[in-house]
Amino acid sequence: DVRMNNINTVDEKKVKGVILPLKFQFRKYFEAPGILDSYIKNQDLMKNENGFTNFINSQLWKDKMLLFNEDSVIYIPYFYLYFDDFEVNNSLGSHSSSVLGVYYSFPTAPEALKSNLNNIFVAALFNSKDVKLIGNDKCFYFLVDEINELQNHGINIIVNDGKQFKIKFLLGLVVGDNLGVNSILGFARSFSSNYFCRFCISDKKSTQELTNESINLLRNKQNYDEHIKINNCKITGIYEESIFNKIHSFHVVKNYAVDIMHDIYEGICVYNMNHIICHLINLGFFSLETLNSRKQGFNYGDTEIGNMSPPIKQIKMNTLKLKMSSREMQTFIHFFPLLVGDLVPKNNQIWLFLINLIEMIDLLLLPKFNNQIILNLEKHITYHNNKYTELFQDSLKPKHHFLIHYCNIIKKSGPLKYLWSYRFESKHRQLKTYTKNITSRVHIPISLGIKYSINFSDLILNLSYSSCISKNLGSSLSSCEYFEKIKILFSSNDLTTLDQALCYDQIVYNNTVYKINHILTALFDNNILVYKLKKIICSDDKVFFLCHTLNVLSYNKHFVSYIVSNVDTGLYVLKSNTYFMGPPIHLYHLNNKDTVIRVKHYFT
């Protein structure tokens, strides 16, 4: 039966999709040399960490583990079962075609594996139009069966030394953008509907004003079952009962997942920055031409120059065209205080709203949370939603509403930056490249599935766990200009033997480029420490950075930046790469001659 124009009609249509053999993939992957051992060690480390650092020590995982108590079994979460459509032809052409990709990854993967796109795997591929035509139940029936099989019976893994392990895999979360997750999990598929939120049962009018989450309005199994019986999406926000509820340890009302890439950078930042820039221009602080000139001429540094956005255009009065990708918006927001902060007076209400927005985003991207940080984040979100309606006389949009659920979601599922879509959307590019070598467009999911299977076979044949370091030919330490300092620091720290070490000016570690003169930061007793990288020393799989210390003079809230002294203090340190937080950054010079840094706690 096919439903057309609200009428069930009988129609014969051959629909083909691909569900990859998950049990086979899981077994081959974890039997590769060193993989299972690295996961077990990493999970044990994460379980012992304080605060909310990963899905493995989140409340949701603890609740799932209450359903399982076999001591001899190893439980590994996988998720981030990710759903998203991507175009395989010219999206503007007459033969445009969209494919629904279903991917998964493992949240407890070591960083060396997590940073590699090959460790995001394809679970299924369907024509998007077929999913819409025949529905979720028929498309995902076999996928749900496979997930239940992995959870209830697991698989036996035999590693190189002959040891055998029984492993069961539990689905953690279904992730993706709001429309994708709502559609897959059976919630309202339009955000103009009266009950669009998959986390609560607030009506549309209420969501335009709410600044705090109400526990009494949250969806739960009880009100979900009641709404299923009502069977009216207009008054419940539930389009259909989800087939994913047939997974023993999973229920859609406990799918605590959001995508800050789409919510923040492609949603809230677009709304907010349009208002902020227009108001600051109308107040006479600067013109759009000045902003564009400064934005295009700003010295972003080699780590960010590739993410510079195009000039902003004005469509009509108080409406700007912020045509930016999420990564470009991320860079634009991050550096906006440095671009025009000197032109805006202190304590301006619009600027204070901007500062709160940037601080809120910085908090959201933290890799670790505790109750105090979550409370601070909640205050920023409440202030943000209150001031947005007050300053701009505009109602809150659906993505503003989702903000009020963020603190609860962090407690349930861990840091939100591990749930975003950046890495999954990068996986689209891999599949799109396959289509360039395929002339046929008949049953394209099958063709892509075959191509991916060949790629997976190659991955397994060459897979082993090793530190992800890419470097050019190094030089001996004795030829390094800092040899005497390095020798003293090595011996005092007893880190490794000098004979095995080589020094470098640049390396790529876990897909992040480190170069001499990059700025690195660390946190000690809640104080920011700033260093300039002078040399990189590698010994086996270990990486050490020789840095000289920069003095942090003060924190400037107006620029959301730390003012530092760029004078060589003569104080050098040699630290493991794990000592530092976040990616390399740069020094920036303000018009008042101050040298500042904008701290980043996150990698992308």
Side-chain angles (χ1 to χ4, degrees):
D1 286 355
V2 179
R3 191 168 182 82
M4 294 182 177
N5 299 323
N6 294 320
I7 300 174
N8 286 331
T9 62
V10 177
D11 184 24
E12 287 190 8
K13 178 178 174 63
K14 186 177 288 187
V15 174
K16 290 191 177 182
V18 175
I19 296 178
L20 281 299
L22 297 188
K23 287 177 68 176
F24 173 81
Q25 288 183 347
F26 283 29
R27 179 182 291 109
K28 290 299 180 182
Y29 178 67
F30 282 98
E31 284 182 345
I35 297 296
L36 179 59
D37 185 57
S38 69
Y39 271 81
I40 294 173
K41 289 179 180 177
N42 204 43
Q43 284 194 185
D44 290 341
L45 285 173
M46 289 176 172
K47 286 177 183 177
N48 296 324
E49 290 179 339
N50 295 322
F52 307 97
T53 61
N54 189 277
F55 185 74
I56 198 73
N57 58 18
S58 69
Q59 186 58 51
L60 184 57
W61 177 252
K62 293 174 183 176
D63 292 343
K64 288 178 182 289
M65 289 308 297
L66 293 176
L67 304 173
F68 303 90
N69 56 4
E70 297 179 68
D71 294 334
S72 60
V73 175
I74 298 171
Y75 294 94
I76 295 180
Y78 67 97
F79 57 94
Y80 309 167
L81 195 60
Y82 173 82
F83 293 80
D84 195 26
D85 296 319
F86 62 93
E87 295 287 339
V88 294
N89 297 325
N90 179 6
S91 58
L92 300 178
S94 58
H95 298 286
S96 63
S97 179
S98 179
V99 171
L100 173 66
V102 184
Y103 310 143
Y104 66 90
S105 68
F106 299 94
T108 55
E111 284 299 324
L113 296 175
K114 195 183 296 183
S115 62
N116 192 325
L117 274 182
N118 284 327
N119 291 284
I120 294 176
F121 306 95
V122 178
L125 296 163
F126 302 94
N127 281 316
S128 301
K129 61 182 180 181
D130 292 340
V131 178
K132 294 175 183 176
L133 182 66
I134 67 175
N136 293 338
D137 287 7
K138 292 180 180 178
C139 284
F140 304 127
Y141 176 82
F142 292 105
L143 179 62
V144 169
D145 268 1
E146 189 95 353
I147 291 171
N148 275 324
E149 182 73 15
L150 285 164
Q151 171 187 273
N152 298 330
H153 302 290
I155 56 177
N156 294 316
I157 301 292
I158 302 175
V159 294
N160 284 348
D161 58 5
K163 286 185 180 178
Q164 181 170 306
F165 296 88
K166 180 76 170 182
I167 303 181
K168 292 186 177 181
F169 298 89
L170 275 61
L171 174 64
L173 297 168
V174 173
V175 299
D177 61 25
N178 292 308
L179 179 59
V181 175
N182 272 27
S183 299
I184 293 300
L185 299 186
F187 292 104
R189 302 181 181 188
S190 170
F191 293 98
S192 60
S193 61
N194 202 33
Y195 295 91
F196 61 81
C197 184
R198 62 184 179 275
F199 303 111
C200 72
I201 53 176
S202 302
D203 60 76
K204 184 177 181 180
K205 185 177 180 181
S206 299
T207 62
Q208 294 173 346
E209 301 169 352
L210 278 175
T211 59
N212 294 96
E213 182 180 69
S214 173
I215 297 177
N216 296 328
L217 293 175
L218 293 178
R219 293 188 186 272
N220 53 51
K221 288 185 179 180
Q222 181 179 348
N223 60 37
Y224 180 87
D225 291 338
E226 292 171 357
H227 292 163
I228 289 295
K229 292 177 182 177
I230 295 173
N231 193 26
N232 188 338
C233 185
K234 291 182 179 179
I235 61 175
T236 65
I238 298 176
Y239 180 79
E240 63 183 1
E241 184 171 10
S242 175
I243 190 172
F244 288 93
N245 287 339
K246 294 183 179 180
I247 300 170
H248 176 50
S249 64
F250 182 87
H251 196 282
V252 295
V253 297
K254 292 191 174 183
N255 188 63
Y256 302 108
V258 288
D259 179 15
I260 53 179
M261 185 191 101
H262 287 96
D263 283 359
I264 301 295
Y265 295 120
E266 294 185 6
I268 289 170
C269 285
V270 176
Y271 300 130
N272 289 11
M273 292 309 294
N274 188 84
H275 283 304
I276 289 169
I277 295 171
C278 286
H279 275 70
L280 294 177
I281 289 174
N282 292 338
L283 289 170
F285 297 137
F286 55 82
S287 65
L288 184 59
E289 290 74 19
T290 299
L291 172 59
N292 278 328
S293 175
R294 289 192 171 198
K295 184 170 77 71
Q296 302 308 119
F298 186 75
N299 182 18
Y300 293 92
D302 61 85
T303 60
E304 293 288 348
I305 188 63
N307 300 312
M308 183 176 67
S309 55
I312 299 169
K313 297 179 181 178
Q314 185 165 6
I315 301 174
K316 55 184 179 180
M317 184 68 69
N318 294 329
T319 304
L320 302 175
K321 186 177 183 181
L322 297 170
K323 189 177 181 181
M324 304 179 190
S325 68
S326 54
R327 189 62 185 86
E328 289 170 345
M329 177 60 80
Q330 186 176 344
T331 296
F332 178 60
I333 285 285
H334 188 75
F335 292 110
F336 191 81
L338 306 186
L339 297 178
V340 294
D342 60 307
L343 303 176
V344 181
K346 291 183 178 180
N347 299 321
N348 173 271
Q349 289 298 305
I350 304 296
W351 194 258
L352 291 177
F353 175 80
L354 171 73
I355 291 172
N356 180 81
L357 170 67
I358 294 173
E359 289 177 344
M360 180 182 75
I361 293 173
D362 287 345
L363 287 171
L364 286 172
L365 294 175
L366 287 175
K368 181 177 181 178
F369 288 84
N370 56 37
N371 289 326
Q372 186 61 42
I373 295 174
I374 292 175
L375 181 61
N376 188 20
L377 174 60
E378 189 173 15
K379 291 178 180 177
H380 277 76
I381 290 172
T382 301
Y383 177 92
H384 171 274
N385 283 8
N386 273 322
K387 285 295 181 180
Y388 182 86
T389 56
E390 177 187 323
L391 292 173
F392 307 127
Q393 299 300 303
D394 192 8
S395 60
L396 296 173
K397 306 299 186 290
K399 289 181 179 179
H400 288 118
H401 168 71
F402 293 137
L403 275 177
I404 69 173
H405 298 299
Y406 275 22
C407 292
N408 184 39
I409 292 170
I410 291 170
K411 293 177 182 178
K412 297 292 187 182
S413 302
L416 301 184
K417 81 185 198 77
Y418 298 129
L419 309 182
W420 62 11
S421 297
Y422 274 122
R423 300 302 290 165
F424 288 107
E425 291 207 348
S426 296
K427 191 70 175 179
H428 288 336
R429 289 200 295 268
Q430 181 183 357
L431 295 181
K432 286 181 179 181
T433 58
Y434 297 159
T435 63
K436 295 178 181 178
N437 300 319
I438 301 173
T439 56
S440 172
R441 288 298 183 264
V442 178
H443 302 314
I444 191 67
I446 296 178
S447 299
L448 291 176
I450 293 171
K451 287 277 189 179
Y452 175 75
S453 297
I454 296 171
N455 176 274
F456 180 79
S457 300
D458 179 70
L459 169 69
I460 295 302
L461 289 172
N462 298 287
L463 181 64
S464 64
Y465 177 72
S466 61
S467 184
C468 189
I469 305 174
S470 174
K471 49 190 181 288
N472 296 321
L473 187 64
S475 58
S476 64
L477 287 182
S478 59
S479 63
C480 174
E481 65 268 36
Y482 301 103
F483 177 65
E484 293 302 322
K485 287 185 173 65
I486 293 172
K487 188 165 62 172
I488 294 171
L489 292 168
F490 258 114
S491 59
S492 63
N493 288 286
D494 193 26
L495 297 173
T496 186
T497 59
L498 291 176
D499 294 339
Q500 299 173 333
L502 294 174
C503 61
Y504 303 86
D505 289 341
Q506 174 179 330
I507 66 167
V508 179
Y509 183 80
N510 289 343
N511 279 347
T512 300
V513 177
Y514 293 87
K515 292 181 182 178
I516 58 172
N517 293 324
H518 275 172
I519 302 301
L520 302 175
T521 57
L523 195 63
F524 183 75
D525 286 344
N526 290 324
N527 293 316
I528 291 290
L529 304 178
V530 182
Y531 305 93
K532 180 176 281 190
L533 180 58
K534 304 307 292 183
K535 215 67 179 178
I536 304 166
I537 297 96
C538 296
S539 178
D540 296 327
D541 289 336
K542 296 179 180 178
V543 178
F544 303 99
F545 296 136
L546 176 71
C547 308
H548 79 68
T549 305
L550 300 180
N551 286 329
V552 179
L553 303 179
S554 63
Y555 178 74
N556 190 317
K557 188 176 179 68
H558 186 75
F559 292 97
V560 202
S561 302
Y562 288 91
I563 301 175
V564 300
S565 171
N566 195 21
V567 178
D568 190 343
T569 60
L571 179 62
Y572 282 75
V573 297
L574 184 68
K575 297 287 187 180
S576 167
N577 64 292
T578 57
Y579 169 79
F580 302 95
M581 67 177 191
I585 55 177
H586 297 274
L587 296 175
Y588 300 99
H589 304 286
L590 303 180
N591 286 340
N592 63 3
K593 308 302 182 184
D594 282 341
T595 300
V596 300
I597 60 166
R598 279 281 291 122
V599 175
K600 289 178 72 173
H601 297 273
Y602 54 91
F603 294 83
T604 51

